[in-house]
Amino acid sequence: MAETPRLQGMLDVGDGQYMYWEEWGAADGVPALYLHGGPGGTLGASGYRARFDLTRTRVIGFEQRGCGRSTPHASEPETSLEANTTAHLIRDIEALRRDRGVHAWILNGVSWGSTLALAYAQAHPLRVLSMVLVAVTTTSKQEVDWVTEGVGSVFPEASSRLLNSADPDVRDAASWEWALWEDTHVSIGAGGFSRDPRWENDAYRHAFARLTTHYWAHLGFNYVPLVESMETIKHLPGTLIHGRRDVSGPAPTRECSPG
């Protein structure tokens, strides 16, 4: 398997934002878009590409606003998150689709990426061929309450304030506490507690924690809950994959199946 993308670049999506994107697989293959988790999870080492048959698929991935190689980076306290909402991310996806000359594509979203996939599909159903969603979430109040131990209406906002503190020591301490909490709550599905080595990267840790609390505090900026708008995409083929130990999202979310 190739170690570098077939194509990659930075796309100006407006608002002073530049989005990193990359392509793998066959240039004439069926287009597929990978949407990473988090928010702020990044593409990492691009291991997502192994989930596709690269001889038949044109796989495109991008790093969402504020994280990874996209700029400006949310780890920088002066980076405003005002232009970092689900609506902005949907517009970014459309800008990427047009830039890459794609008419319609398969959506593969993981965790937060599944929320983004559903939101994009509802906004642009004619641009979606099908969806494969893993560790499915819709970032509803029920789900945010669940993952923040029943205090979703308070905890994300409190964390957001700490992660946006003018004091760098406060920001750093808050990001480490968030990282510890992340490792703890996913441990049931990971075979036991272990520290994710990515947290050692200060920029990754700060951006992940800041973006996650930002989106959770606003329930994913989906002002009409996604489950209430599934009628618009009921015609789309969809495969939802969710494990018993995907503890970050409660199983009842699976009632939102698009198929």
Side-chain angles (χ1 to χ4, degrees), residues 19 26 39 45 61 78 92 126 133 172-173 183 244 249:
M19 183 175 76
E78 63 271 18
D92 292 348
L126 297 180
L133 309 182
D172 195 57
D183 288 341
R244 181 182 297 275

Side-chain angles (χ1 to χ4, degrees), residues 4 36 40-41 52 56 61 92 94 106 126 129 138 144-145 151 153 158-159 163 167 172 181 193 217 248-249 255-256:
T4 56
H36 66 69
F52 299 87
R56 302 171 55 194
D92 292 348
E94 271 295 275
I106 299 168
L126 297 180
L129 299 173
T138 65
V144 173
D145 282 352
V151 289
S153 63
S159 295
L163 290 160
D167 186 332
D172 195 57
W181 177 82
F193 177 81
S248 297
E255 296 172 0
C256 73

Side-chain angles (χ1 to χ4, degrees), residues 47-59:
Y48 67 90
R49 69 192 190 276
R51 302 171 188 160
F52 299 87
D53 180 350
L54 296 181
T55 66
R56 302 171 55 194
T57 314
R58 177 188 176 192
V59 181

Side-chain angles (χ1 to χ4, degrees), residues 90 94 117-128 226 232-233:
I90 289 172
E94 271 295 275
L118 289 167
Y120 172 80
Q122 290 181 8
H124 300 282
L126 297 180
R127 301 306 180 185
V128 181
L226 295 176
T232 60
I233 57 172

Side-chain angles (χ1 to χ4, degrees), residues 167-203:
D167 186 332
D169 292 333
V170 171
R171 291 197 306 273
D172 195 57
S175 72
W176 274 114
E177 287 301 315
W178 187 269
L180 176 61
W181 177 82
E182 283 276 347
D183 288 341
T184 300
H185 89 265
V186 302
S187 63
I188 190 173
F193 177 81
S194 64
R195 298 313 308 265
D196 188 330
R198 293 177 297 176
W199 302 133
E200 296 297 330
N201 182 312
D202 290 345

Side-chain angles (χ1 to χ4, degrees), residues 88-172:
H88 288 95
L89 298 183
I90 289 172
R91 289 202 291 271
D92 292 348
I93 294 171
E94 271 295 275
L96 180 62
R97 183 190 62 77
R98 292 191 297 269
D99 181 75
R100 305 315 307 145
V102 173
H103 175 71
W105 40 18
I106 299 168
L107 302 182
N108 175 213
V110 177
S111 190
W112 157 253
S114 66
T115 293
L116 185 54
L118 289 167
Y120 172 80
Q122 290 181 8
H124 300 282
L126 297 180
R127 301 306 180 185
V128 181
L129 299 173
S130 63
M131 290 185 284
V132 179
L133 309 182
V134 182
V136 185
T137 65
T138 65
T139 317
S140 65
K141 185 178 187 302
Q142 174 194 7
E143 292 163 300
V144 173
D145 282 352
W146 166 268
V147 79
T148 55
E149 301 179 88
V151 289
S153 63
V154 177
F155 185 58
E157 289 89 337
S159 295
S160 294
R161 286 194 294 271
L162 292 173
L163 290 160
N164 285 290
S165 171
D167 186 332
D169 292 333
V170 171
R171 291 197 306 273
D172 195 57

